[in-house]
Amino acid sequence: MTTGRVWFITGASRGLGRAFTEAALGAGERVVAAARDLAPLAELADAHPGRLVRLTLDVTDRTAVRKAVDEAAAAFGRLDIVVNNAGAMLLGMVEEAGEEQIRAQFDVNFFGAVWVAQAAVPHLRAQGSGRILQVTTMGTGGGVASAGFYAASKSALDSLSQALAMEVAPFGIKVTIVQPGGYGTDLFTRGTTTTDPLPEYAGLRAQLAEMWGEDAGPAPDTAAPVITELVDLPDPPLRLIVGSASYDLVQQMDEARTAEYRAWEHLSRKAPG
C-alpha cells in the first residue's frame, strides 16, 4: 500500500512548484500536481507510478479550483500539505499598467490562492490537521519600481494569510507564509506580462537594469530542502524567508523602515490614536 503524506501543489510544472513536487516525490510522499500545462510533468509521472496525480488547473477559475481540490482529496483519500505556488509577474510602472493587466495580476497571485485555501480548509478541518504554504515573496515588505503590482498582490496574500493562520489554528491547521527570493525560474520570462513603456521612465528603467544585473538567481531545487524541512516542523513559523541573500536583504529593509519610523516619531505622536 502506498503511504506518505499527500501534497497539493499549484503551479507544479515549472520553477519552484516543480522543485517542490520533485522533492516531495523523492521523499516518498504523494503529490497532486496542478498546472495549466501538464506536459512537463509526464516524465515525473512515469518515474513515480501511483504517487503523482496531474490535474489541469487555472487557479483564477474558482469553480475549477474547488473541483480540483476535491479531486485531489479523493485521489489519495486525504490532503496534508497544500502549496499555493502558482504565480505570475506584471512588470511595469504604476502609471503604465492597464486595468486588465492589473486585475489579471491579482487574479493569479491573490485570488487564485484564496480560492485554493477556501477549497482546502474544509478537507483539512475534517481531518483535524494539515499545512498550508502560501508562497509570496521576500518583497512583501515593500514595493520596488516596475514590480509594484506584483509586490502588492503578494503583500495582499501575505496579510490575508496571517488572518487565515489565526482562523484555522483551532482546527489543527498550520499556515506558513513562504517568502522566497529571486530564483532561476521562468517567472521573469514566460510568466511575465510587461506594460507598454513610457519614455519618461527610460532613465529609471536603465538604473533598475543595472541594479538587477544579469544573474538569474540560484536553481529552484536549491530552495526545496528548506520546504521539506519546514513541513516536518511540529511548530512551524508563520513566515519564513527562503534564501540566505534574501534574508540579509529583508533585514536591511526592516532596519531602514524602522529608522524611518523613528526619525518621524515626533510627528506620529502628535496624534492621539
Side-chain angles (χ1 to χ4, degrees):
M1 178 178 178
T2 302
T3 59
R5 292 172 297 187
V6 179
W7 296 56
F8 177 74
I9 304 174
T10 66
S13 62
R14 295 180 175 85
L16 290 173
R18 171 67 178 246
F20 300 159
T21 299
E22 291 180 351
L25 291 170
E29 312 263 57
R30 296 169 288 176
V31 178
V32 180
R36 292 190 182 192
D37 178 13
L38 296 180
L41 293 169
E43 182 182 347
L44 277 182
D46 292 340
H48 300 278
R51 291 199 292 116
L52 176 63
V53 172
R54 295 171 291 164
L55 294 177
T56 302
L57 179 62
D58 177 355
V59 296
T60 67
D61 184 337
R62 190 184 188 196
T63 300
V65 167
R66 287 189 175 275
K67 182 174 182 291
V69 171
D70 288 346
E71 289 179 2
F76 295 115
R78 62 182 295 114
L79 288 178
D80 296 294
I81 302 163
V82 176
V83 184
N84 261 318
N85 168 76
M89 166 73 77
L90 172 59
L91 201 59
M93 308 302 172
V94 172
E95 180 186 359
E96 298 168 344
E99 180 179 352
E100 184 176 342
Q101 291 177 319
I102 298 167
R103 291 186 182 277
Q105 179 79 143
F106 277 81
D107 278 343
V108 176
N109 292 351
F110 177 71
F111 287 107
V114 172
W115 306 152
V116 171
Q118 287 183 331
V121 165
H123 293 283
L124 303 181
R125 182 173 60 238
Q127 297 168 183
S129 65
R131 303 288 179 93
I132 299 176
L133 307 187
Q134 305 280 62
V135 180
T136 61
T137 176
M138 55 153 284
T140 54
V144 177
S146 82
F149 289 109
Y150 176 78
S153 64
K154 291 296 191 178
S155 294
L157 179 58
D158 192 299
S159 295
L160 186 82
S161 299
Q162 183 171 355
L164 176 66
M166 296 174 64
E167 295 166 1
V168 300
F171 309 125
I173 305 169
K174 301 180 186 297
V175 176
T176 296
I177 302 162
V178 178
Q179 301 176 322
Y183 284 85
T185 70
D186 60 1
L187 177 64
F188 291 96
T189 54
R190 64 184 296 162
T192 295
T193 299
T194 58
T195 60
D196 292 330
L198 292 172
E200 289 83 354
Y201 295 103
L204 177 55
R205 278 192 164 85
Q207 293 176 26
L208 292 171
E210 183 177 353
M211 180 178 69
W212 290 334
E214 299 293 331
D215 185 8
D221 59 5
T222 61
V226 176
I227 301 306
T228 54
E229 183 172 342
L230 169 66
V231 298
D232 285 337
L233 296 175
D235 188 21
L238 173 62
R239 289 185 175 85
L240 182 71
I241 300 167
V242 180
S244 179
S246 300
Y247 185 92
D248 291 340
L249 186 55
V250 170
Q251 289 290 94
Q252 293 172 17
M253 292 164 58
D254 286 346
E255 290 170 2
R257 185 177 296 109
T258 299
E260 184 176 28
Y261 283 146
R262 287 176 177 167
W264 292 97
E265 181 181 359
H266 64 285
L267 183 57
S268 297
R269 292 191 180 280
K270 289 187 176 181

